Amino acid sequence: MARVGTALRELRGAQKSAKGVSLYSRFVNRPAGRYLAAVSYALGLTPNQVTLVSAAFSFAAVAAVALAAPSWGLGVAVWAALAVGFAFDSADGQLARLRGGGSAAGEWLDHVVDCAKLTALHSCVLIAFYRFPEAYGTGGPGGDGWLLVPLGFQFASVVTFFGGLLTEKLKPKPAPGSPAAAPSTVRAVALLPVDYGVFCLVFLVLGGGGLFRWAYAGLGAVAVLFLAAFLAKWFRELSAVPR
């Protein structure tokens, strides 16, 4: 326990900037990840092992969406597994900083797992809509159109993920020692609809069938709108970078 407490104290002073982070990630997921990182450190786990634990929780939830008939109990289980996986996803980076810094291979593994998770989750919603049309209301005349919704959501999620990563790589790094920009509360609230942790909450209504379908579609529409805004912002920022 003393080792966990020491790790927690060190982690409190080694947090990344909260700029561009939603309220959920800032006040829920990062603190949860900090405790998981401290426990992982005490257990002697490596950041890559924590990434794989995150993947195990996430992909178990993803598989359940596609394989099991929707129910309220399943929805709670899926949400819980996705939320825990997301917290471990935050923990691996924090553990790496606690251990003195991560590696290129560790960062690569983290991003590959994240991309695979996003792609698989929306693919499995599509499979669920196809396998259980009576439960979700995606069968009958015109029901096939609902199968396009996960494809559109997947497109927006993956392009946003890749575009954000590439933008951070291409933007000039701040000078060493320069103060971090203060996080904007307004922006943190505005980003809530496209925060992965908030998205996971939609699975709590998985047993609602049509309710889940409409809630999922609503978040998908918001993701498409945010993608357009993000792309315009990122292109404008990178256009200002000198050659």
Side-chain angles (χ1 to χ4, degrees):
M1 289 300 294
R3 191 172 168 86
V4 172
T6 301
L8 282 172
R9 286 192 293 273
E10 292 185 22
L11 281 168
R12 288 191 184 97
Q15 294 296 301
K16 293 193 297 186
S17 169
K19 181 183 178 183
V21 176
S22 84
L23 286 182
Y24 179 92
S25 287
R26 183 178 174 185
F27 292 111
V28 178
N29 200 58
R30 281 191 178 180
R34 186 163 64 242
Y35 281 99
L36 290 175
V39 172
S40 299
Y41 179 76
L43 294 174
L45 297 179
T46 67
N48 287 352
Q49 289 172 330
V50 172
T51 299
L52 294 177
V53 172
S54 170
F57 276 100
S58 299
F59 287 109
V62 167
V65 172
L67 298 176
S71 67
W72 293 103
L74 177 67
V76 172
V78 167
W79 165 77
L82 290 174
V84 171
F86 190 34
F88 271 108
D89 185 34
S90 174
D92 59 7
Q94 298 192 56
L95 178 60
R97 289 192 294 277
L98 184 61
R99 290 164 57 98
S103 65
E107 184 175 2
W108 175 87
L109 179 64
D110 183 38
H111 292 328
V112 167
V113 168
D114 285 345
C115 188
K117 174 179 64 180
L118 282 175
T119 306
L121 184 53
H122 294 295
S123 296
C124 285
V125 172
L126 170 60
I127 293 170
F129 281 179
Y130 178 79
R131 292 191 67 217
F132 309 107
E134 295 82 6
Y136 290 109
T138 53
D144 289 349
W146 282 101
L147 302 181
L148 298 175
V149 174
L151 293 177
F153 205 155
Q154 182 185 73
F155 174 84
S157 298
V158 173
V159 175
T160 299
F161 176 77
F162 175 77
L165 281 180
L166 189 58
T167 300
E168 288 302 312
K169 293 294 183 184
L170 295 176
K171 284 170 62 175
K173 299 294 185 291
S178 58
S184 166
T185 301
V186 173
R187 179 178 173 82
V189 172
L191 288 173
L192 280 172
V194 288
D195 185 282
Y196 178 77
V198 173
F199 165 63
C200 293
L201 292 170
V202 77
F203 290 93
L204 287 173
V205 297
L206 195 66
L211 175 61
F212 171 78
R213 185 188 72 221
W214 281 107
Y216 177 85
L219 287 176
V222 171
V224 171
L225 293 175
F226 269 83
L227 172 61
F230 285 144
L231 291 177
K233 175 180 179 292
W234 294 332
F235 186 81
R236 185 174 63 251
E237 291 175 347
L238 293 175
S239 296
V241 175
R243 287 181 154 184

